[in-house]
Amino acid sequence: MTPVLLASPRLALREIEHGDTDALLAIYGDPEATRHLSFEPRTRDQVQAIVDRSMNSAKDSPRTEYGLAITHLGEHRLTGYARLATEPQQAATIGFALHQAEWGKGLGTETVHLLCALGFNVLGLHRIWAARSPLNEASARTLLRAGMTEDGRIRDHVFVNGAWRDSITYSILEHEWTPIDGLDTTSALDRSAAPPGDETVPGR
């Protein structure tokens, strides 16, 4: 499997590397950053397991899970984590989390577009969907701005912080998605770029 590498006007998605653990812990270990996610703050060992799983899934054939680092364009440091997991019937679920310092800048919408580019343009999917906490209004705005449609509610979808919680679901079909200007939809799997672990920042 050729490493995934995608670019938008301000962001890039790349494969997860061993050196990403501390930067990911700054997100997944933060109670505020995980307040609306489907899990409680992670320990360093738990974050390391996520990094290891993401790296191992990149070697699978066929590959069904893409755990990717979100970075600023032209930079290497992880500032968020994005995930796409394929399902039967040419579908996939997506999710992401950004460091608190990146909130309120519209980067979530770009991240959703990057994941749509991976799903629709590279993997040939028909449907992509996502779920959010009912209290996460910022996520609702992000998903709608990216062109997704609210589908409904899954009752008692996740058990977190000692209680069951509903999820609000959104989806987008391949013919409904309009890429934003400046989105590089051709570089996900066709570059002979440096493999995961190389600290060289890819050119754009």
Side-chain angles (χ1 to χ4, degrees):
M1 172 64 74
T2 305
V4 169
L5 191 60
L6 276 170
S8 66
R10 294 180 292 173
L11 298 176
L13 293 184
R14 62 163 174 81
E15 299 287 359
I16 289 286
E17 304 170 358
H18 283 301
D20 290 326
T21 301
D22 288 339
L24 185 53
L25 179 61
I27 302 169
Y28 277 180
D30 179 2
E32 181 61 22
T34 57
R35 182 160 58 98
H36 294 301
L37 299 184
S38 60
F39 53 82
E40 298 176 34
R42 301 299 200 192
T43 65
R44 194 179 197 285
D45 287 345
Q46 289 172 325
V47 170
Q48 184 63 61
I50 293 170
V51 170
D52 293 343
R53 186 189 71 203
S54 299
M55 294 180 64
N56 289 333
S57 68
K59 304 172 187 176
D60 291 342
S61 183
R63 185 174 181 179
T64 59
E65 183 173 337
Y66 297 80
L68 304 168
I70 306 169
T71 72
H72 286 284
L73 188 64
E75 299 181 10
H76 194 77
R77 181 174 174 79
L78 179 149
T79 193
Y81 180 82
R83 180 177 178 270
L84 181 149
T86 61
E87 301 176 343
Q89 302 297 327
Q90 293 179 265
T93 179
I94 61 171
F96 69 93
L98 291 167
H99 192 282
Q100 275 200 71
E102 307 302 334
W103 294 0
K105 302 176 182 178
L107 298 181
T109 301
E110 281 195 34
T111 299
V112 175
H113 276 285
L114 283 166
L115 289 168
C116 285
L118 174 60
F120 293 138
N121 289 12
V122 179
L123 303 179
L125 301 180
H126 175 67
R127 180 178 184 269
I128 291 174
W129 72 281
R132 68 167 177 90
S133 161
L135 297 179
N136 193 349
E137 293 298 332
S139 178
R141 292 190 294 272
T142 292
L143 297 171
L144 292 172
R145 279 197 299 264
M148 302 189 88
T149 297
E150 182 176 329
D151 288 330
R153 179 183 293 257
I154 304 176
R155 296 184 301 156
D156 285 1
H157 186 211
V158 297
F159 189 82
V160 62
N161 293 319
W164 287 102
R165 193 204 73 196
D166 294 356
S167 291
I168 309 299
T169 63
Y170 296 75
S171 68
I172 187 168
L173 307 179
E174 56 182 325
H175 64 271
E176 296 172 338
W177 178 58
T178 302
I180 55 175
D181 291 340
L183 184 63
D184 183 352
T185 61
T186 63
S187 61
L189 300 176
D190 60 357
R191 288 188 181 181
S192 56
D198 192 319
E199 294 297 321
T200 303
V201 177
R204 294 284 182 247

